[in-house]
Amino acid sequence: MTTLRHLLISLLLSGLFCFGTPLLLLGSLLILLLGLQTVPGMAAIATVGLTQLLEFLKIFGNGNLWEGLWVIGLSWGLVGVLFDLYIFCQYQMGEGTSHQ
């Protein structure tokens, strides 16, 4: 029973971390570009970068920025959970331990 509990806790944590990572990265990039728009020499470059980032999110969200963020976050979270589950299964089969 403790093995199942450890698996569920591990899956939950890896899912949360993998979900939050792209949101933090994209949010940081968005804040950086918004901040660079106030710098006189960088305003044009920041505007182009901001436009590209928003279009990128609209592509994944069918025209909606927030839906694009959710899709990217959920995709990364699912991949993180699958990797964690794979490692857990490998460890349970004995390939994760050293046999000496």
Side-chain angles (χ1 to χ4, degrees):
M1 189 66 186
T2 60
T3 304
L4 178 62
R5 188 178 64 195
H6 289 294
L7 171 65
L8 293 176
I9 290 171
S10 177
L11 291 176
L12 177 71
L13 288 175
S14 65
L16 287 175
F17 284 131
C18 291
F19 176 79
T21 301
L23 298 183
L24 286 174
L25 290 173
L26 291 171
S28 301
L29 185 59
L30 185 64
I31 290 171
L32 177 71
L33 290 172
L34 287 172
L36 283 177
Q37 279 187 326
T38 61
V39 178
M42 299 295 290
I45 296 171
T47 303
V48 170
L50 188 60
T51 304
Q52 294 295 318
L53 179 63
L54 295 179
E55 286 298 317
F56 174 76
L57 292 175
K58 284 182 183 179
I59 289 171
F60 283 100
N62 292 327
N64 189 349
L65 301 174
W66 296 106
E67 190 176 333
L69 278 173
W70 274 99
V71 167
I72 292 172
L74 289 173
S75 299
W76 279 46
L78 178 65
V79 169
V81 166
L82 289 174
F83 277 134
D84 190 34
L85 189 59
Y86 171 73
I87 295 299
F88 185 81
C89 289
Q90 289 289 12
Y91 181 77
Q92 291 298 318
M93 288 191 301
E95 294 180 16
T97 60
S98 61
H99 301 284
Q100 294 183 10

